[in-house]
Amino acid sequence: MVQEKRPFWAVMAGLNSVSRKTTAATSDTDWGDMLRRVAQTQDSEAFAALFAHFGPRVKGYLMKSGADAASAEECAQDVMVTVWRKADQFNPARASAATWIFTIARNRRIDMLRRDKRPEPEDLPWGPEAEPDQEDAMALQQESEQLAAALQELPEAQRSMIERAYFNDLSHSEIADATGLPLGTIKSRIRLALERLRHSLN
Amino acid sequence: MITHHLNDKLLMAYSAGSLPEAFNLVVATHISICDECRARLASFDAIGGALLDQDDSAEMGAQSLSTVMARIKTAGPVAKEKPQTRDAVLPAPLVAAIGGGLDKVQWRAVGGGVRQAILKTSDKATARLLHIPGGVAVPDHGHQGLELTLVLQGAFRDEDGRFGRGDIEIASEEVEHTPVAEPGMDCICLAATDAPLKFRSILPRLAQPFLRI
């Protein structure tokens, strides 16, 4: 982390004077590990780094969805408060940090824009996991990066359809069935975890 | 063994958060009992994560982080989430929508031994529980919009095959079908549609405004 030797308050003060590109750590920062630090030791520096990276992204997501800048700012703050408070629920073997924060932001967006209620599926009895499996977490991280790269390389029309689906409430009938994205790898990984869980319950 | 699953459109729209409430309820209920679609949903959520991560063009306000830190420091402990309940037939999202288990469902007879209970959702689409005695046919109907039918108990058959517990039938405008509950156990389904069903015989069509089906 670039901020490691600076006191926390100095990092905060610097956030707006230094361009985000230099404050926001390097591209291979392990955001899952930052979340773990927040969960385990209430690490304010790790949180400041998460905030610098994800705060603007969450705000941008809300603005693209139709929120004005002030509401988007307020809701992005709410999302980041939730990130701190629920950091202990993050499991790097089941989702990337970006995916986990996306689900929090999506739920806040539904409230903010008064979209239709979205009940969650039943929780699974995962139980207290001592330590998420490191190999699973690393593999999932890689697969998430591959997905992000594949998204960048999609033909414009395809990519635009997907963006509109996530940002602009494209209706289910307007969504194309094939995404052109390598979704199978992440699906298979989660499927294996579910099989292990079902097995352990029997 | 579930053989009829959600399609990509519905999973993506559920992940994005853009479905009508009635469809969200069906999707959440199906995923509650279908590991395959739960895993597929995780991959659609990952698209959301990748999209979120791509664009950092917005700027947070100057005092944003200190405001957030102050809120974190003064916030009380994280409220315990209400424990979810389910019963042998109804997964947790449905129990929450009904406000109780199968014994709390307020059934209304709609003729032919079929009973239904309309669930409270936004008016963009309707969700209802259907109780069809074994061996009974649901009136032949076509569709104007999209209809999702998720089997919770028993099974039905129609032109598209057999649908047992957990199976979901996705019927669009082109489909005209005649579901028949299998003999034996009564069939209980959760159905949602974004358009009124049109029955082909005159009597149900007259009754339609009163039945809200």
Side-chain angles (χ1 to χ4, degrees):
Chain A
M1 284 308 305
V2 285
Q3 294 97 334
E4 250 158 30
K5 297 213 173 67
R6 301 162 65 196
F8 170 55
W9 288 97
V11 174
M12 278 179 44
L15 272 182
N16 298 292
S17 54
V18 185
S19 109
R20 204 168 37 252
K21 291 277 182 276
T22 55
T23 31
T26 53
S27 60
D28 56 357
T29 302
D30 183 349
W31 298 116
D33 190 54
M34 296 288 149
L35 284 170
R36 182 191 59 76
R37 282 164 57 183
V38 170
Q40 292 180 353
T41 63
Q42 290 77 52
D43 185 333
S44 306
E45 279 188 20
F47 184 74
L50 283 160
F51 190 96
H53 183 79
F54 286 107
R57 287 168 168 81
V58 171
K59 185 174 177 178
Y61 161 65
L62 296 170
M63 287 176 71
K64 268 182 277 187
S65 303
D68 60 74
S71 329
E73 167 76 30
E74 199 182 315
C75 290
Q77 290 184 12
D78 293 346
V79 169
M80 294 313 293
V81 170
T82 304
V83 165
W84 175 288
R85 288 164 67 84
K86 293 194 171 168
D88 61 334
Q89 294 175 16
F90 169 72
N91 182 328
R94 276 185 243 132
S96 74
T99 298
W100 184 69
I101 293 172
F102 161 71
T103 62
I104 295 172
R106 172 201 58 209
N107 294 344
R108 190 67 191 81
R109 170 186 183 270
I110 289 171
D111 289 345
M112 177 183 69
L113 301 175
R114 297 172 199 276
R115 293 296 192 263
D116 270 32
K117 282 192 195 132
R118 181 183 174 283
E120 290 282 341
E122 195 167 296
D123 285 340
L124 291 175
W126 291 102
E129 281 176 304
E131 276 293 316
D133 188 289
Q134 285 297 316
E135 259 178 59
D136 279 352
M138 276 176 59
L140 187 82
Q141 180 64 34
Q142 275 175 7
E143 287 155 10
S144 302
E145 283 162 16
Q146 283 159 10
L147 177 64
L151 192 59
Q152 297 277 13
E153 284 161 19
L154 280 184
E156 178 54 30
Q158 192 79 332
R159 201 181 123 91
S160 151
M161 184 280 290
I162 294 171
E163 286 186 353
R164 283 184 295 134
Y166 282 83
F167 300 137
N168 306 113
D169 291 327
L170 209 59
S171 81
H172 52 83
S173 57
E174 294 167 306
I175 292 173
D177 244 329
T179 62
L181 287 169
L183 297 175
T185 48
I186 291 177
K187 190 211 87 177
S188 311
R189 184 155 304 282
I190 304 295
R191 191 79 175 87
L192 273 174
L194 288 164
E195 271 163 31
R196 281 202 299 264
L197 173 72
R198 300 293 184 200
H199 188 71
S200 73
L201 292 174
N202 289 332
Chain B
M1 175 74 186
I2 296 172
T3 52
H4 300 274
H5 294 276
L6 290 164
N7 61 26
D8 284 354
K9 295 173 196 246
L10 286 163
L11 280 166
M12 185 183 271
Y14 178 74
S15 174
S18 56
L19 283 179
E21 184 179 1
F23 289 160
N24 277 333
L25 181 62
V26 179
V27 171
T29 304
H30 174 81
I31 289 173
S32 297
I33 47 182
C34 179
D35 284 354
E36 175 69 15
C37 289
R38 192 185 285 266
R40 285 169 68 207
L41 175 67
S43 66
F44 282 100
D45 284 350
I47 298 181
L51 287 172
L52 177 77
D53 214 24
Q54 273 175 11
D55 181 0
D56 67 345
S57 56
E59 297 259 3
M60 291 296 275
Q63 301 304 316
S64 203
L65 178 57
S66 48
T67 306
V68 165
M69 287 313 292
R71 280 181 57 192
I72 287 167
K73 289 203 172 83
T74 54
V78 178
K80 268 230 159 142
E81 277 172 35
K82 269 199 288 181
Q84 292 182 320
T85 50
R86 58 183 161 126
D87 68 20
V89 176
L90 307 181
L94 257 187
V95 170
I98 292 161
L102 206 51
D103 55 331
K104 287 280 184 292
V105 176
Q106 310 237 325
W107 295 108
R108 299 269 183 276
V110 292
V114 177
R115 293 182 292 161
Q116 74 167 9
I118 304 211
L119 304 177
K120 199 170 177 300
T121 60
S122 78
D123 56 12
K124 283 181 217 155
T126 329
R128 67 211 156 105
L129 282 167
L130 281 169
H131 184 285
I132 307 154
V136 167
V138 177
D140 185 16
H141 59 280
H143 304 265
Q144 287 172 322
L146 176 71
E147 188 188 39
L148 306 179
T149 309
L150 171 63
V151 178
L152 299 162
Q153 176 190 292
F156 70 79
R157 279 178 187 278
D158 68 10
E159 290 77 353
D160 286 336
R162 180 184 187 273
F163 294 79
R165 176 169 165 84
D167 282 325
I168 186 162
E169 176 160 69
I170 301 169
S172 57
E173 282 170 41
E174 312 84 68
V175 178
E176 282 194 18
H177 61 170
T178 317
V180 180
E182 275 192 354
M185 191 184 268
D186 289 352
C187 181
I188 297 176
C189 302
L190 171 65
T193 178
D194 56 4
L197 303 186
K198 44 181 185 197
F199 285 98
R200 296 172 62 75
S201 67
I202 184 75
L203 198 63
R205 203 182 300 145
L206 286 174
Q208 202 166 319
F210 306 103
L211 301 176
R212 286 185 63 200
I213 58 175

